[in-house]
Amino acid sequence: MNNNKAFIGLLLLCINPNVWAVGLDSIPAYDTSSNLNGTRLYVGAGLGVTKQSDSCNDPFFEGSCEQKDIAWKVFGGARFNPMLGVEASYQDMGKLERNGASGASFANMSNSVTGLGASAVAYVPVMNGAELFGKAGVLRWERDSSRTLNGNTQHSTDKGYSPMLGAGAQYQLNQNLYMRGEWEHTLNIGADSAYETDADTYSVGVIYSTL
């Protein structure tokens, strides 16, 4: 029970650093030497929400703009030792929609973003079965866009590479299963276009790891 309460605190820490105030400093160190011998492989899946933070910033648009949507991802990686590993992922960041008017014209605009990511991951054990982690890497994104003005619809697809950062916490449920909560920030999706935006994804997931 105490471990579960502590892990909830670690998940909140990913979103609000003020969680340190609840007393995580008093949690004993996590000894990883007994359960991380050699390289371990893992696969996992996560579900959450993505916010495209700058997609509604159009001074010529008036109307509704939904910049959040359900997001999901699948991922896998290798952990070389208790502190370092690598991870690859496929991410679906959902769909943004805007409905209203642009100038004197009726406007409907939407875009959906998917991507392939690769990151280096660093882990910091904090207690028995739980740890914090941080990641840095790159996302190869693809964005499908649709724009309708006065009944005329245009479709476009743009692709690119963007830096990606993340942080989170995970808790070992048993010898093979982990629960993870994380935040990921992708910069400049849609770079060199009229609708460049950053994206923040918050998710929870489950991991299966080899022995």
Side-chain angles (χ1 to χ4, degrees):
M1 181 64 70
N2 291 336
N3 283 351
N4 290 340
K5 290 181 179 179
F7 181 63
I8 291 172
L10 292 175
L11 292 181
L12 292 174
L13 174 63
C14 301
I15 301 173
N16 184 359
N18 293 329
V19 171
W20 283 114
V22 304
L24 287 178
D25 288 336
S26 63
I27 296 174
Y30 174 32
D31 180 10
T32 61
S33 59
S34 63
N35 64 351
L36 266 180
N37 297 315
T39 299
R40 300 180 66 174
L41 304 178
Y42 63 88
V43 294
L47 181 68
V49 61
T50 291
K51 177 181 179 181
Q52 298 185 39
S53 57
D54 302 317
S55 294
C56 294
N57 298 338
D58 186 342
F60 303 104
F61 176 82
E62 294 183 1
S64 64
C65 181
E66 181 54 65
Q67 59 185 356
K68 296 180 181 179
D69 199 10
I70 299 297
W72 61 270
K73 70 173 185 174
V74 291
F75 55 92
R79 190 163 175 178
F80 307 122
N81 57 50
M83 307 299 290
L84 295 174
V86 293
E87 186 171 292
S89 64
Y90 172 82
Q91 303 186 32
D92 187 322
M93 297 184 180
K95 186 177 183 180
L96 173 140
E97 291 191 86
R98 295 191 291 180
N99 292 286
S102 182
S105 303
F106 168 78
N108 171 270
M109 289 166 274
S110 66
N111 72 66
S112 58
V113 179
T114 59
L116 295 172
S119 303
V121 187
Y123 300 87
V124 179
V126 294
M127 61 173 289
N128 186 28
E131 56 197 350
L132 303 177
F133 64 87
K135 60 171 65 174
V138 63
L139 183 77
R140 184 187 185 280
W141 50 264
E142 179 174 320
R143 185 174 65 176
D144 294 321
S145 303
S146 174
R147 180 183 176 94
T148 300
L149 290 175
N150 289 335
N152 297 316
T153 301
Q154 295 180 330
H155 297 278
S156 63
T157 299
D158 52 329
K159 303 177 182 180
Y161 293 86
S162 293
M164 177 176 64
L165 303 171
Q170 62 186 36
Y171 180 74
Q172 187 172 7
L173 301 173
N174 58 40
Q175 192 171 22
N176 299 103
L177 292 179
Y178 293 75
M179 182 178 179
R180 172 189 284 193
E182 67 181 311
W183 158 78
E184 292 173 297
H185 182 76
T186 307
L187 290 82
N188 303 329
I189 294 176
D192 301 323
S193 75
Y195 300 101
E196 180 178 332
T197 181
D198 290 357
D200 290 283
T201 301
Y202 302 88
S203 64
V204 293
V206 176
I207 297 170
Y208 178 83
S209 176
T210 58
L211 299 178

